[in-house]
Structures are given as structure tokens and as C-alpha cells.
Amino acid sequence: MKYLSTRGNASNLDFEGVTLAGLASDGGLYVPETWPRFSEAEIASMRGLSYIDLAVRVMTPFTKGSLSEAELKELCEAAYGRFSHAAVTPLVQLDSQHWLLELFHGPTLAFKDVALQLLGQLFEKFLSGSDKALTIVGATSGDTGSAAIDAVAGRERVEIFMLHPHNRISDVQRRQMTTVLAPNVHNIAIQGSFDDAQAMVKTMFNDPDVNSVLNVTAVNSINWARLMAQIVYYFAAALKLGAPERKVAFSVPTGNFGDVFAGYVAAQMGLPVERLIVATNVNDILHRALSRGDYSVSGVTPTSAPSMDIQVSSNFERLLFDLEGRDGSTTAARMKWFEQMGKMVLSADMRKRASFFASARADADETAGAMRWAYEQCGQIIDPHTAIGLHGARTANIAADVPVVTLATAHPAKFRDAVEQATGIRPALPGRVGNLFEREERYEVLPGEYAAVRDYILSNAARPALL
Ligand SMILES: Cc1ncc(COP(=O)(O)O)c(C=O)c1O
Ligand SMILES: N[C@@H](CCOP(=O)(O)O)C(=O)O
């Protein structure tokens, strides 16, 4: 499989190349040259497979040429062997139409583990036998950071610098990152928002002062391998609910548009998806864009679902690329305009082409209300991000005979204060996170200025000599 950049001006790479590169050299995001497609019979034959065997089946078309099926299986076994549930991503029924897809049974209690446990294995595999080292530079609104750090802490040849918005993530999220004291892990709290951190990361990729000495890569969902691994659980859920004979709708708590884009890819691959509901909090740029064409950035408002306090949704670029006929120069011009003006308009025609996506927005009361409904009506404690998804699922106009699956993206214990406020229940942290509140923390607080962050990374990166 070959991959091309959404901005049409970077070398085409194979799977190994895009995994190690993270972002394309023209600032675009890598996508497969074409979407692979399974027939109905092929999808039916996936029923009953274990999660690992299903993952190999779904991901093989994307990894062809870089990994054999046996190698991919070995990596999946290592990645998913650390999950605390035998099904890896179990489904829980709420009522006659609604299900939760629990994606938080990995080591750091959020859906990010599903992709990042595999990405850690992929880095190791692709670096083995070479003299290369990688410097991961990532931005997190709380969950990607801990999942990425868990996946690479202590590994040789990989060093990680993770930027988070200072004082804007939960105490559990922060400690899951800052108490990992392995020498290859560096946490930086920046005075600013996740969007500021994400913009710095993207700038770093094309900064000659950085990439002349460091081999920089990404663990955010700008890295194609992240999205690829997230496609699998859409197949897992739909197959359990009757696919390919029966259509299923998904409601996805959305920030960077990565998770829901993985659902879009699953549909391109032939999975019968009725609708994808893009569920946002009050940082609602995607809801505004899909419902009325207004993709314009306003300030980020802190909410009880901090991981979704995002306005610039990186993966939306991948959708725009498809909606505009996969013409890189059109997408490049559109993104350049957006980067300068902070806004773009989606024409009625583009919105029509995107009408496979529905969208919804939940404010603070609606988020708390969804947590209460899940607890009082269905006996389920859910986190605020999942609650936003559930609000979207329950308010979208989906026919009563179509199952609606809400992606449960984080364990409620990561957001104990918000859950307790809404339901009166303070969820306990699962044993697998250990004595988080007794461990020493280490992180650097830096101003939200690109030069300060770049200089810190350049002076603290341990292995430039290996490149
Ligand atoms: C718990 C949680 N839910 C939802 C999201 C949104 O996912 P995405 O950024 O892929 O849209 C995030 C962050 O990305 C998250 O951490
Ligand atoms: N919500 C994320 C933000 C980054 O998203 P990513 O999926 O692109 O890594 C987080 O929790 O860090």
C-alpha cells in the first residue's frame, strides 16, 4: 500500500515510511492511495474472530509491503495482551437501541491505548536492526500523552517530549504522565491550550533547526498508524450487532476528528454504517462546520471533558481531501487559507457530500444530564466525554430499529470530580494504574511560545548523535 499527502507535495511512502514520518513534509497528513474494500462475504467471514485476528484481517490491506501477516499478528498480540478485558473492546447494552463500546480497558484507561500500544510495537519493529533513533514530539489534552508515554517509556532508540496545557487536564491524567520517570520521557506543561501545543508540534516537523539534528515523529492521530488501529473496533462492534446484514450507527465524542475519521474509513471499507454522529462539547467547531458550514476558530473554553477542549481538528483535513475529490493542491490552498484566517466555509454542496456525518453539541448541563441518565436508567457510570457521545446518540434522528453505539472513550475514574458532581458516585481508580497519588512527579512548565519549547527540546534531547 502506498500513501500520499493530503497537500499533494510530499513523497509517497509505504506503511513503514508513514509510521516513522508522522506528518508529511509539505505539512499535510498521509492517507492511503485508495481505500481498500471488503465484500459483504468477506465481512461476514470475520464474525467470531478474536479481537487480535480481526485486527490482523482489517489492518493487513494497510500494512502490506511493510509487514507480513504473521509479523502484524505478533505485534497485535503484544499490544492487546496488556488489556484487562478478554474482548479488548467489549460492548455493553444500555437499552433497546443504545450500546456503549468500552475502549478504556488498556493500561492508561482511555481509547488511545488501542492505537498507541500498537504504535509502540511498530516503532520498535521498524527501528530494530537500524541505527536510527526517533524523537517523538506530541501534544495532549490529557489522554494521548499518558497512552504514548506508557507505550514507549524505557524503550531504547525512542525519546518522547509530550506537551500538555498547564492546569487544563485532570489530576489523574497529569499524574499518569508526570510520574513516569524513565529517562526517555519528558513532560512539558505549556501556558496555553491544546491547540497551541498541537500547532507547535506541527511547526517543529518542518523546522530545519530541529529536523537537521532530530528524527522527529508523531504519536498524535496525525500519524496514520493511529487511525488504522482505531478502525478495528468499529468492525468488532458492528459484527457483534449483526453486520454485514444489519446497519449500525456510531456516536463518537470528538475533538481532533481522529476517532470518527477511523469510523469513516471503516465505512469506506464496506462496513455497513448507517451514520456517524460527531459529538462535541461547547468547543463546537465541528458541529458548526457540519451543521451550517462554519469552520471558524474561537477561543477554547475549558469544560468537564478537557480531552475534547480542542478547536483545530487536525484530521478534518483528511475528510476535506476526500470531499474535494482527493486533489492535494485544492486541500493545500484551503488549509493555507485556514491557517492564515482562522476560518473556512463549507459550501452547501460539500456539506451535502458530508451528510453521512450527523453532529451534536452538549453543554455542561447536557453532559451532566447524560451521565445521570446512564447511571439512573441503566446503572452505568460513564465519564464526561462518553456522556457527550451519549447525548449525541440520544438526540440524533436515527431510526428506532438501527442500533446506536456510543464510543466510551475514557474510564470514569479519570474524571472523578466531574462524575461525582453529576451522579454522586466517585469512581475508584482500577488497580492497574498503581499508586498514582504517592509517586513523584516531574515536568517542566514553559511559556506557550514556540521558541521556548523548541529550545528546551533541543537542549534536552539525549540522542541526536545516533541519527
Ligand atoms: C476521552 C476522549 N474522548 C474523546 C476524544 C476525542 O477524540 P478525537 O480527538 O479522536 O476526536 C479524546 C481526545 O482525543 C479523548 O481523550
Ligand atoms: N484528546 C487528545 C488530543 C490529541 O488527540 P490525538 O488523538 O490527535 O492524539 C488527548 O487526550 O491528548
Side-chain angles (χ1 to χ4, degrees):
M1 172 66 84
K2 281 281 171 219
Y3 291 81
L4 37 94
S5 164
T6 49
R7 299 198 190 175
N9 202 18
S11 332
N12 291 356
L13 298 177
D14 63 7
F15 177 70
E16 176 174 343
V18 295
T19 302
L20 295 179
L23 188 71
S25 59
D26 59 0
L29 307 186
Y30 276 111
V31 285
E33 208 167 26
T34 54
W35 297 122
R37 197 159 174 93
F38 295 119
S39 67
E40 198 174 319
E42 283 171 322
I43 294 177
S45 75
M46 296 175 188
R47 258 191 230 123
L49 292 179
S50 69
Y51 190 87
I52 287 169
D53 287 334
L54 178 67
V56 173
R57 214 48 104 76
V58 172
M59 293 192 289
T60 292
F62 299 109
T63 58
K64 249 188 202 153
S66 296
L67 291 171
S68 69
E69 275 193 47
E71 286 171 324
L72 180 58
K73 182 161 182 176
E74 209 176 295
L75 300 182
C76 288
E77 280 165 350
Y80 301 122
R82 292 190 63 204
F83 278 59
S84 67
H85 197 290
V88 182
T89 60
L91 267 180
V92 172
Q93 186 159 12
L94 291 177
D95 66 11
S96 58
Q97 189 176 21
H98 294 280
W99 277 260
L100 293 176
L101 178 61
E102 291 186 348
L103 301 174
F104 51 70
H105 293 281
T108 69
L109 316 181
F111 78 100
K112 311 288 180 169
D113 288 321
V114 178
L116 282 158
Q117 284 296 314
L118 182 65
L119 189 57
Q121 299 294 330
L122 287 166
F123 283 150
E124 180 114 326
K125 174 85 186 164
F126 292 145
L127 292 176
S128 70
S130 84
D131 59 355
K132 273 195 178 170
L134 286 178
T135 305
I136 296 167
V137 185
T140 184
S141 49
D143 292 325
T144 294
S146 50
I149 287 169
D150 183 276
V152 304
R155 283 187 196 272
E156 292 204 2
R157 304 189 170 284
V158 182
E159 185 161 37
I160 184 164
F161 289 85
M162 187 52 67
L163 280 56
H164 70 266
H166 191 36
N167 290 334
R168 295 204 197 181
I169 60 177
S170 79
D171 56 351
V172 172
Q173 289 180 307
R174 192 192 66 250
R175 284 183 160 272
Q176 282 183 309
M177 298 190 283
T178 59
T179 61
V180 180
L181 304 182
N184 67 333
V185 173
H186 307 265
N187 281 290
I188 303 171
I190 64 146
Q191 312 272 13
S193 66
F194 168 79
D195 285 350
D196 299 328
Q198 181 171 240
M200 288 185 208
V201 168
K202 287 183 178 170
T203 304
M204 222 161 282
F205 272 80
N206 290 312
D207 180 339
D209 287 345
V210 177
N211 55 32
S212 58
V213 285
L214 300 177
N215 210 11
V216 178
T217 194
V219 287
N220 284 107
S221 56
I222 54 178
N223 190 319
W224 165 257
R226 276 278 313 274
L227 298 193
M228 177 190 75
Q230 293 173 209
I231 298 166
V232 176
Y233 46 70
Y234 286 91
F235 275 84
L239 284 162
K240 281 190 195 136
L241 292 173
E245 288 83 9
R246 189 186 193 199
K247 281 192 164 188
V248 178
F250 290 91
S251 181
V252 188
T254 298
N256 226 2
F257 205 73
D259 213 6
V260 76
F261 190 80
Y264 165 81
V265 178
Q268 300 306 304
M269 295 174 78
L271 193 70
V273 177
E274 167 76 16
R275 210 89 195 279
L276 288 173
I277 302 158
V278 176
T280 75
N281 61 20
V282 294
N283 297 296
D284 61 352
I285 186 168
L286 289 165
H287 173 55
R288 281 185 281 116
L290 293 165
S291 57
R292 43 181 211 266
D294 167 25
Y295 191 83
S296 61
V297 181
S298 49
V300 177
T301 306
T303 71
S304 62
S307 303
M308 285 159 56
D309 292 345
I310 298 175
Q311 287 279 357
V312 180
S313 296
S314 289
N315 289 287
F316 200 53
E317 178 169 344
R318 286 184 160 117
L319 180 67
L320 293 172
F321 180 66
D322 263 20
L323 292 180
E324 294 188 304
R326 300 196 130 220
D327 172 11
S329 55
T330 307
T331 310
R334 185 180 268 286
M335 293 312 297
K336 200 166 168 202
W337 169 269
F338 173 70
E339 280 156 15
Q340 280 165 5
M341 310 304 288
K343 60 182 177 188
M344 68 169 95
V345 174
L346 265 61
S347 65
D349 185 45
M350 275 181 86
R351 267 185 289 144
K352 200 166 152 204
R353 271 178 270 145
S355 60
F356 174 58
F357 294 91
S359 69
R361 170 195 197 267
D363 64 19
D365 287 346
E366 288 163 331
T367 306
M371 281 191 268
R372 268 193 300 277
W373 181 83
Y375 178 53
E376 287 164 9
Q377 304 300 315
C378 317
Q380 290 292 320
I381 298 286
I382 60 172
D383 97 288
H385 303 78
T386 306
I388 291 164
L390 187 57
H391 173 78
R394 297 187 67 232
T395 52
N397 203 8
I398 305 289
D401 59 341
V402 174
V404 186
V405 175
T406 296
L407 272 54
T409 49
H411 192 289
K414 279 193 121 164
F415 305 95
R416 302 171 300 169
D417 296 342
V419 174
E420 187 174 17
Q421 228 169 20
T423 63
I425 304 288
R426 191 165 179 80
L429 275 169
R432 63 187 182 279
V433 298
N435 58 346
L436 206 53
F437 284 83
E438 285 149 41
R439 300 204 292 254
E440 181 195 340
E441 285 191 87
R442 193 168 64 203
Y443 62 103
E444 189 75 23
V445 181
L446 293 179
E449 288 159 18
Y450 176 69
V453 173
R454 180 200 52 203
D455 294 350
Y456 178 85
I457 292 176
L458 285 176
S459 50
N460 286 279
R463 302 188 181 89
L466 272 174
L467 298 178

